[in-house]
Amino acid sequence: MQRVLEKMAAQLNSYDEASLMHLWQHYAMRVNSFEPTKRWEEAALALCMIQAVRWKNQLFNYHLAVTASPAEKPDLPSFSDIFTQKSAKTPGGKDTDKERPKATVLPFRGKGEP
C-alpha cells in the first residue's frame, strides 16, 4: 500500500499546479452536486488531490522563503495565515488578490442537515 501511495504522489507531483487549477471548478461542481455513485467519489478524490498539490506548493514556498538568507527574506505571513488566507501577501510579497480569483468554499454538512 505504501508503494502505491508513493507512486501516486510522485505522479501527482509531476503535474503543473496551474493546469490542475483549471480543473478545480469542474470537480467542485461535481462534488457539490452529490450523488451516491463511484463517479461522485472519484470526483471528490480528484478535487482533494488538486487541493493537495496547491497546499503542498504553498507549504514548499513558505519553507523556502523561511530558509532564505536574511537579506532575501520578505515579510512573511504567519504559517497559519498561509492556509487561512488572512494575509493578502505571498512569501514573495506579491498581492495575491489580483492574481487569481477567490476559490469557492464548499460546505460539508453532517448527517441529517439539509
Side-chain angles (χ1 to χ4, degrees):
M1 183 65 77
Q2 183 177 350
R3 277 187 268 151
V4 170
L5 287 173
E6 289 171 356
K7 185 177 179 180
M8 287 172 34
Q11 186 173 4
L12 187 59
N13 196 37
S14 70
Y15 298 132
D16 177 55
E17 178 185 348
S19 299
L20 289 171
M21 288 309 292
H22 284 292
L23 297 170
W24 191 94
Q25 188 66 36
H26 168 77
Y27 287 109
M29 286 173 43
R30 285 179 55 189
V31 169
N32 197 35
S33 179
F34 176 74
E35 53 188 53
T37 64
K38 285 286 183 190
R39 183 179 140 174
W40 182 89
E41 290 180 42
E42 290 167 0
L45 289 171
L47 181 63
C48 290
M49 288 187 288
I50 292 169
Q51 287 297 110
V53 169
R54 183 166 179 76
W55 180 77
K56 183 268 305 176
N57 287 343
Q58 288 177 335
L59 186 61
F60 181 90
N61 290 338
Y62 179 84
H63 284 294
L64 197 61
V66 166
T67 60
S69 67
E72 297 173 357
K73 272 189 185 175
D75 292 332
L76 294 173
S78 74
F79 184 74
S80 63
D81 286 350
I82 289 176
F83 303 108
T84 60
Q85 300 296 323
K86 290 181 184 174
S87 174
K89 302 283 184 186
T90 62
K94 295 187 289 185
D95 186 355
T96 58
D97 291 337
K98 296 177 185 172
E99 292 179 19
R100 64 176 185 251
K102 294 289 183 186
T104 303
V105 176
L106 301 176
F108 293 98
R109 296 176 178 91
K111 291 182 179 180
E113 292 183 45

